[in-house]
Amino acid sequence: MLKGIIDKLFNANQKPPRPELNSISQAEVEALVEARLKEHAATIEKSVEEKMNSAVQATDQEDYTLTPKQIEFALSIIDKVKNEYELAADPATLTVKDLNKLIAFNKFKNKGILVNLVKKGVLRRKGKF
């Protein structure tokens, strides 16, 4: 035990050998940084594409077709404005959005809603073809 303590005292003055540090050239650093930037850009691009695809799918999911009972209700609302507007599209092609707009018109009597439905091609003004 005494020998171990003496060895530590004498060896404490000696520095342990350090491993050599490998230096990296400027070109290698630039190449690594550029590779990481390209990898990051590819990841961002992939993420943006996935978001765009999910947004397109979400848009498609919003345009549900109507049930027969909903179509009857939509036609009854259109009948209320029969003197000025008529159905321009096939009733089977009406969507939930169209029905919601018709319901909003029925509730608020906002003519702008009908104008938007004319622009979309759901309704047309009577006498204009």
Side-chain angles (χ1 to χ4, degrees):
M1 180 154 145
L2 188 56
K3 185 177 179 185
I5 294 174
I6 294 175
D7 286 341
K8 284 185 182 180
L9 287 176
F10 285 119
N11 288 335
N13 294 337
Q14 297 176 358
K15 294 182 180 177
R18 288 189 176 180
E20 285 187 33
L21 296 176
N22 294 335
S23 63
I24 300 174
S25 70
Q26 181 70 21
E28 290 174 329
V29 170
E30 289 175 0
L32 284 171
V33 168
E34 191 163 327
R36 293 295 173 126
L37 286 173
K38 286 181 182 178
E39 181 181 315
H40 183 66
T43 304
I44 290 174
E45 186 175 318
K46 183 179 177 184
S47 173
V48 167
E49 284 180 14
E50 288 174 357
K51 286 180 183 177
M52 294 290 285
N53 289 338
S54 66
V56 168
Q57 289 174 352
T59 303
D60 291 344
Q61 291 173 353
E62 290 177 7
D63 288 336
Y64 291 120
T65 56
L66 300 179
T67 64
K69 195 160 195 159
Q70 289 173 321
I71 291 173
E72 286 179 35
F73 182 61
L75 292 175
S76 70
I77 294 174
I78 293 171
D79 283 343
K80 291 181 181 180
V81 291
K82 202 170 194 173
N83 358 344
E84 295 182 43
Y85 296 93
E86 62 187 1
L87 187 64
D90 182 29
T93 61
L94 291 175
T95 64
V96 173
K97 281 185 175 182
D98 300 332
L99 177 61
N100 289 339
K101 288 178 183 180
L102 288 168
I103 292 170
F105 169 75
N106 195 32
K107 184 174 184 180
F108 300 112
K109 306 297 185 214
N110 183 348
K111 294 281 186 176
I113 294 171
L114 296 178
V115 171
N116 289 338
L117 286 171
V118 169
K119 287 180 183 176
K120 189 176 175 188
V122 175
L123 296 177
R124 69 173 161 233
R125 290 190 67 94
K126 278 206 169 179
K128 293 187 178 182
F129 293 98

